[in-house]
Amino acid sequence: MLEPKTGAPSVEQAKMYFLCDQEWQFGTPGQSSSYLSLVNDLTLEVAPISRPANRTDLKFNRRHGGEHLSINTDQPVYDIRGSYTSYSCFEIKRYHPVRKNCIVYQFSNSSGICFRNTFGDWHCRMIGSLKEIGQHLPPPEN
């Protein structure tokens, strides 16, 4: 994916950076504790003007599992906002094949930032109000 040459990432770039940070697999497939986190229905806006990084931005500096993203506080950040649906999907067990295997959350009024880390990689992270909207099968593939 092409990185922005200057200024803010485009909406499409920000969506890809967000998905790279938000979608992930935990554990080993076939293990009872493994699961997959997926995102669907992502809407996102990117502020066209940057601002300096500040202390409150540090809440976006960790990925699932506690991985530190190393935000570069010398680089500008871009505010983002949006909404999305998150699926946490567990493996279907043979002994319970009719059970739905995904817990679904709707994140609305989410806000966050896009930033570069100390290696120059882009990350886009958001947090917001969440509401569990049920248990379902996984989202359809795009």
Side-chain angles (χ1 to χ4, degrees), residues 68-95:
H68 193 265
L69 297 174
S70 302
I71 187 171
N72 185 343
T73 56
D74 293 332
Q75 293 289 315
V77 299
Y78 293 88
D79 292 314
I80 59 174
R81 63 184 176 193
S83 63
Y84 60 99
T85 303
S86 175
Y87 293 78
S88 293
C89 300
F90 303 85
E91 291 198 33
I92 297 175
K93 305 291 182 234
R94 265 196 324 252
Y95 57 86

